[in-house]
Amino acid sequence: MQLPWRSAPRAALSSPLTVLVAVVAALLLTFVGAAAVLHSDAAGNAAAGYQAGRLCPQSVAPVIDHRRVTAGEGAAVIDAAAAQAPRHGFPAPIGALYSPVRQWTWDSGLHPWSRFGWREGAMDNLTVLQGGSRDGLWVPRTVAEDGDVRLGDTVALPGFPRVTAIYEDLADPVGDYWCAEREEAVVNPLAPDGGAGALVLFPDRDSFVAAFDDIAGDSVTVSVRFPLERLPRTADEGADVAARGAAMLPAIEAMLPRPNMVITGNYFATPVEVSREAGDTVLGAVLPLTIVSLLVGLAGVAAVTVQWCQRRRAELRLLWARGAGPRALGGRAVLELAAPLLAGAVLGWLIARLALPWYAPSPYLSDGTAVVSALVATGVFAAALLVTGAVTVAHTHRAFQATGGRRRLWRGLRYLPWELATGVAAYLAWARLDATPVRMAFGQPLPEQPDAVGLAFPLLVVLTVALVAVRLVRWGLRAAHRLRWWRVPAAQLAVRRLAAAAGSAVGILLVGTLAVGTLTVGVGIATAQDDAFDTKSGLFVGAESSAQISTRVATETGLPPLLAAQTTLVGVLKSQDDVILAVDPATFATIAWVDGDRAELAARLARLDAPAAGALPTLRVGSAPDQRVRLPRIGDVEPVDHLPAFPLVGNRGYVVSTAAIPDPGDIDVWQIWSPKPVDLLLSDLDAAGLHHLHARGKSEALDGLPFLTVRWTFDFVTALGFVLAVVAAAALLLAVEVRRRQNALAGALATRMGLRPRTLVASHLLELGSLAGLSVAAGAAAGWACTAVASPMLDPSPWLRPVAAAPDLVGLVSTTLATALAVVALVCWSAVRSVTTARVGELIRG
């Protein structure tokens, strides 16, 4: 007998809804699998890019330094680097030579502190004020003013060129060209005499070597940098740079006249390892939920196949009667649904690849990752075909050859305590997270890279809650036949329909609870980590930006009026375990970074100006003792208020008013705080002619990679939650569509027997709304509780206050509920319309 399998692909077009649902199911299924691979790789690459961005661009490649060489030896180091760089794929190096800081005597007879140096390309990266010829010395403005140096002058030593240009001194923030040479080229204005000197540049290396080979001895500093044309964008590119550097540095050392002549560094090797760990951590954390999502997607494919079997029931029975067995009928289903599933799989992979910048932290992928994701998509498509065939075989066998044994075995799987297994896994993940030790370095705790098992804890809890909810609802539906609510016919009909389709109901509940729970957890924990990092950075710096200024300016001359109106002065004094701040209560609350109500902080600081009997009023911070104490250089202080944390102080210390201090000059360190970014603050200080150093900005104060790793993980969790939400909505529509004929027949008969239309609508709203409501309630409760518990535990630096805490999720839950209600209303309209447009005679004959 010739079976009509050849026309199976075209036959699928007779059921457009089945084709559409199959395409969507395969699309979401493939997207989840491919996106997990792409996102984890992108996370590792984003970590590499983040760390490369925190380094000076010229420090990403290997570096060579030494402060104790002769000028000739320094030139030999530069020549060796230039010879080896092209052999290992690096561009031509930038070499530099610097003399020690001394009082060099000029023609004027004055001898300001300065240093001489040469660096390849330096004259292209300076601002010329006078002159500009490149065949002589270039003198910074401060040296020219202090030493009365003019164009044509020179140093009172043989072999030194004449001055041909005067340039503007380098000051923070410096550009990419000078950032690696900041210690040599940028003067510390607050350093003692001889501790720093502005840089006078020689026109070329040979003239520098000729001038200093004898007079400087072995006190010349050499530095060699290898500027990359482009910073590494992926972990593989970073690993390639580190590997080539590791091979090049020994080759350079082998060419030098004596061993251990220089100090080499390959600083990007460790960031590469950390980046790979970050990618592996993200993958390990999202893998459990990804597997669950794939299983849910395969269950959706199975549901589509069941619907197909129901629509094709008459044809399948005819083919079975003509001798086609379950396997042949399964092949028919595969042939008919393969094209929609393939189209969905291709679309899913394309969306996962093209939408990478939307859901992943980096748009860049390592070589081969796209191929791996395509292989995963292919495997998912093959699994979908296998499920389609297997479900059809099982369905036709049960319908036409049923013995009941295998069905009882399948039903027995329901009684396995799956929620107990996931609960135990969640507890073990929590215990591991709770027992994570603090890593110490030089006596200071370091931010910890998150553990993949610990990151999976909230997801396992959400899964456990979903399984428990399913178990309870299944028990309730099994006992629903005892319910007698005919006085409320809408509720009675809703419960009966749910009980008649208990499998679909609990499936929708499972997917819906997982969707809402993962959305809440993903958004909640990602937001908590962002807020914690922002707050910790603000408290660590004290304001958006800060810089140290001289004590004389802070205590005597004061700030210019325009700058004083936009900043606040803070004195910093450290004493054993305490940090003591001297602040201006009138300006501090408006300028400093404040986590809370500024007006309330201003009111508390105002109490510091009130006189106290025999002691200065102070604001006690954190664990500082609540009693009168004597502080060094301050005297006796009496706490008048308390705060758990304070900018720059951290978790323990005191805050006093600057006006109440007996002698502000006793405080060695004075900082200026600003609400502007650090580059604008430094520009304002330079414009005012104020010396500064140790500038810090809030955005670069802390290493944010551990926080970002957590955020990237739960960003993907949020994406999976959105996918599951779409699956849940499609499952709700599919469940109604599968029972369309039965519901239409039952509803049509009931309306002709007197059931009012509004009661019919109310019954469908109760049926579908109860599933959506339970899903939102259980998922939101589980997600909110997990966020509250896991946020502080996932904080990479809990010793910095405040610890990460759950954000306000009312808006998210409200939006989720509103969306669920909209979906319920749409599906309810479809179900009711199938009743109102039904023809009872055709339904009975069909």
Side-chain angles (χ1 to χ4, degrees), residues 462-792:
V462 170
L463 179 58
T464 302
V465 171
L467 292 174
V468 170
V470 165
R471 181 78 66 183
L472 295 177
V473 169
R474 186 182 292 278
W475 288 347
L477 292 179
R478 287 185 60 185
H481 66 281
R482 301 177 183 177
L483 189 66
R484 297 293 184 269
W485 277 0
W486 289 114
R487 292 184 179 181
V488 188
Q492 182 70 31
L493 290 174
V495 172
R496 287 297 173 87
R497 280 197 297 268
L498 286 173
S504 299
V506 297
I508 294 170
L509 178 63
L510 175 63
V511 179
T513 304
L514 282 176
V516 177
T518 50
L519 271 174
T520 307
V521 164
V523 173
I525 294 182
T527 304
Q529 295 302 313
D530 283 345
D531 292 345
F533 179 64
D534 187 60
T535 303
K536 291 172 188 286
S537 299
L539 292 178
F540 187 74
V541 175
E544 185 67 33
S545 59
S546 69
Q548 183 179 340
I549 61 175
S550 68
T551 302
R552 183 179 60 84
V553 172
T555 59
E556 298 177 14
T557 61
L559 299 175
L562 182 61
L563 189 60
Q566 301 174 351
T567 59
T568 186
L569 285 175
V570 178
V572 184
L573 185 62
K574 294 186 179 180
S575 171
Q576 296 180 349
D577 296 332
D578 298 325
V579 177
I580 306 164
L581 288 192
V583 304
D584 178 12
T587 60
F588 186 86
T590 59
I591 300 299
W593 196 96
V594 177
D595 182 26
D597 189 356
R598 292 185 179 273
E600 179 184 355
L601 178 61
R604 294 190 175 194
L605 292 176
R607 301 182 61 187
L608 299 180
D609 288 331
L616 298 180
T618 183
L619 183 65
R620 183 173 62 91
V621 179
S623 60
D626 187 12
Q627 61 186 12
R628 178 176 293 196
V629 296
R630 174 173 288 275
L631 299 178
R633 305 191 186 186
I634 301 294
D636 292 336
V637 296
E638 180 73 31
V640 295
D641 207 339
H642 173 261
L643 281 176
F646 198 82
L648 194 65
V649 174
N651 308 324
R652 179 186 169 99
Y654 297 92
V655 180
V656 297
S657 173
T658 303
I661 298 176
D663 185 3
D666 288 339
I667 297 180
D668 295 331
V669 177
W670 284 92
Q671 296 180 354
I672 182 171
W673 291 8
S674 171
K676 298 180 180 180
V678 64
D679 55 343
L680 295 181
L681 171 62
L682 298 183
S683 298
D684 292 343
L685 291 174
D686 291 336
L690 299 180
H691 296 312
H692 54 81
L693 72 160
H694 301 320
R696 293 194 301 181
K698 182 171 72 71
S699 58
E700 299 87 16
L702 296 177
D703 180 9
L705 183 58
F707 295 90
L708 291 174
T709 302
V710 177
R711 195 191 78 185
W712 295 336
T713 299
F714 287 93
D715 282 347
F716 187 69
V717 169
T718 303
L720 287 183
F722 179 78
V723 171
L724 289 173
V726 175
V727 171
L732 192 64
L733 178 62
L734 187 61
V736 173
E737 188 63 27
V738 167
R739 294 184 288 120
R740 186 182 187 89
R741 182 176 179 278
Q742 297 93 315
N743 288 341
L745 177 60
L749 291 175
T751 54
R752 282 159 177 75
M753 293 172 64
L755 185 69
R756 289 178 295 182
R758 65 181 183 182
T759 304
L760 178 66
V761 173
S763 70
H764 281 286
L765 285 176
L766 285 174
E767 175 193 0
L768 303 175
S770 61
L771 291 177
L774 283 174
S775 298
V776 173
W784 207 325
C786 286
T787 300
V789 173
S791 291

Side-chain angles (χ1 to χ4, degrees), residues 251-309:
I252 293 176
E253 292 178 334
M255 296 179 63
L256 300 181
R258 54 186 174 88
N260 302 323
M261 183 175 159
V262 294
I263 299 174
T264 60
N266 198 5
Y267 300 136
F268 206 63
T270 299
V272 167
E273 297 176 3
V274 174
S275 302
R276 295 193 185 281
E277 291 176 2
D280 294 341
T281 298
V282 172
L283 179 61
V286 303
L287 192 59
L289 183 61
T290 301
I291 293 175
V292 171
S293 301
L294 291 176
L295 293 177
V296 169
L298 291 175
V301 173
V304 173
T305 306
V306 170
Q307 185 201 31
W308 178 87
C309 291

Side-chain angles (χ1 to χ4, degrees), residues 435-440 444-446 448 798-799:
T436 301
V438 174
R439 182 164 55 94
M440 306 293 289
Q444 297 294 327
L446 296 177
E448 287 289 344
W799 48 86

